[in-house]
């Protein structure tokens, strides 16, 4: 495939992400706190997470093994794999969702989205990237790795805190307090957006950009819906708290 054809594919994929963003204004993905009946066959929430995130991990491993990426691309692949190792194998084991279910339609659509994103990013890093040792000295690398690290830290710390809100055997939801939760309802989503913004800056290509657009398309509506859900469920919910970006939205 030529780079021009590849970039056209990424452009089409960005267009699909924008369409998904519009669709998610009207439909709430029914998993986690938004779980509801009527979406067909369901599987365990924890298995759902493993199955839907697995393609992102396996496909990137495939490209890593079957190509000879330069050091810079190898680092990007490594960052991707660290994130998806956690999301596929660690996060689902830790969540205390106590028998909650997820519609297979959600798992299936996430497999599709994850498989294409991992394929585009893995393919670019394996066959098109022309990074060399000087790439580590560019502003893209410095800004990108700093943002990726800050975002990863915020995402991990927030997910850990949220998972820890429920003691073993507890089922319900509590108002998160302290740290970034004083400013926004969803610091985990905020962190993940910063993380993939950093990745896109470091990777500097259309595949990474398309993945960032998909992340925004998924997480902006989800954070807004989480926030609205909190304000409807808890009358005492802090009124100054925003959904996703401190002081803004
Ligand atoms: P949530 O933020 O809703 O929840 C994370 C975990 O904490 C869940 O197990 C949830 O339980 C529990 N929890 C959350 N809030 C509370 C509370 N107030 N009281 C008690 N327990 C709570 O998870 P999401 O599904 O929205 O996201 C999970 C992770 O996946 C995030 O890191 C997010 O960034 C990432 N993600 C990434 C996407 C992408 O496109 N890149 C798309 C979607 C998510 P329960 O499941 O029972 O609600």
């Amino acid at each position: 495939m030529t780079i021009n054809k590849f970039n056209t594919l990424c452009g089409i994929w960005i267009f699909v992400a924008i369409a998904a963003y519009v669709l998610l204004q009207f439909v709430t993905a029914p998993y986690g706190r938004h779980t509801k009946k009527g979406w067909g066959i369901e599987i365990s929430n924890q298995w759902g997470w493993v199955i839907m995130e697995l393609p992102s991990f396996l496909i990137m491993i495939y490209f890593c093994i079957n190509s000879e990426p330069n050091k810079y691309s190898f680092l990007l692949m490594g960052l991707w794999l660290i994130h998806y190792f956690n999301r596929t194998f660690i996060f689902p084991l830790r969540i205390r969702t106590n028998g909650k279910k997820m519609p297979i339609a959600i798992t299936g659509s996430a497999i599709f989205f994850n498989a294409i994103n991992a394929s585009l990013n893995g393919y670019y890093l394996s066959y098109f990237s022309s990074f060399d040792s000087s790439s580590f000295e560019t502003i893209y690398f410095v800004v990108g790795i700093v943002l990726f690290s800050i975002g990863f830290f915020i995402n991990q710390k927030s997910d850990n805190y949220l998972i820890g809100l429920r003691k073993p055997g507890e089922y319900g939801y509590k108002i998160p307090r302290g740290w970034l939760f004083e400013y926004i309802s969803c610091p985990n989503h905020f962190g993940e957006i910063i993380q993939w913004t950093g990745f896109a800056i470091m990777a500097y290509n259309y595949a990474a950009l398309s993945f960032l657009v998909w992340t925004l398309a998924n997480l902006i509506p989800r954070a807004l819906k989480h926030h609205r859900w909190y304000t409807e469920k808890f009358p005492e919910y802090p009124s100054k708290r925003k959904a996703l970006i401190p002081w803004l939205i």
Side-chain angles (χ1 to χ4, degrees):
M1 190 188 314
T2 63
I3 185 70
N4 284 346
K5 269 193 186 155
F6 180 84
N7 286 340
T8 306
L9 277 181
C10 293
I12 294 169
W13 190 229
I14 288 175
F15 184 75
V16 179
I18 294 168
Y21 175 78
V22 174
L23 181 70
L24 287 170
Q25 306 305 307
F26 306 101
V27 180
T28 302
Y31 63 97
R33 78 195 63 204
H34 306 293
T35 303
K36 63 176 176 196
K37 294 284 166 201
W39 279 74
I41 303 168
E42 296 176 328
I43 56 169
S44 123
N45 197 41
Q46 281 160 307
W47 274 109
W49 272 104
V50 174
I51 295 166
M52 70 186 179
E53 303 297 314
L54 194 58
S56 288
F57 184 77
L58 292 182
I59 289 171
M60 195 56 85
I61 288 271
Y62 169 85
F63 280 111
C64 230
I65 293 171
N66 290 291
S67 66
E68 288 176 10
N70 54 60
K71 281 187 185 154
Y72 195 90
S73 294
F74 191 68
L75 172 76
L76 288 165
M77 288 170 156
L79 295 175
W80 181 285
L81 288 172
I82 289 169
H83 174 86
Y84 278 104
F85 183 80
N86 171 64
R87 188 64 80 223
T88 310
F89 302 111
I90 311 284
F91 177 78
L93 282 179
R94 298 188 58 226
I95 50 178
R96 296 175 178 155
T97 49
N98 300 313
K100 212 170 249 179
K101 303 265 187 195
M102 175 188 289
I104 220 162
I106 289 294
T107 323
S109 55
I111 288 173
F112 176 69
F113 138 83
N114 281 328
I116 295 188
N117 280 313
S119 301
L120 289 177
N121 279 278
Y123 196 92
Y124 182 89
L125 294 174
S126 296
Y127 305 120
F128 289 134
S129 80
S130 55
F131 299 116
D132 58 26
S133 54
S134 69
S135 307
F136 289 101
E137 292 156 21
T138 61
I139 189 76
Y140 299 109
F141 175 72
V142 177
V143 173
I145 192 86
V146 168
L147 284 180
F148 185 93
S149 307
I150 292 172
F152 185 77
F153 172 75
I154 293 175
N155 179 257
Q156 290 297 308
K157 185 167 164 140
S158 315
D159 272 348
N160 285 344
Y161 174 86
L162 289 170
I163 292 168
L165 279 176
R166 255 179 224 147
K167 303 298 162 226
E170 284 185 347
Y171 290 89
Y173 291 88
K174 300 172 188 174
I175 300 178
R177 304 271 183 196
W179 196 56
L180 284 177
F181 289 98
E182 291 305 314
Y183 303 95
I184 47 176
S185 296
C186 303
N188 52 346
H189 299 173
F190 177 59
E192 183 138 357
I193 288 170
I194 295 175
Q195 189 184 326
W196 294 112
T197 303
F199 187 89
I201 293 172
M202 248 189 295
Y204 202 69
N205 65 69
Y206 285 109
L209 176 66
S210 69
F211 183 53
L212 174 61
V213 177
W214 267 100
T215 303
L216 292 167
N218 278 323
L219 290 182
I220 294 173
R222 190 154 178 84
L224 293 175
K225 281 167 184 169
H226 278 16
H227 181 70
R228 192 184 318 144
W229 179 94
Y230 275 124
T231 58
E232 287 168 3
K233 181 169 177 71
F234 298 106
E236 73 277 28
Y237 198 70
S239 58
K240 287 194 176 151
R241 199 177 288 187
K242 298 289 184 186
L244 184 62
I245 302 177
W247 306 290
L248 288 178
I249 53 166

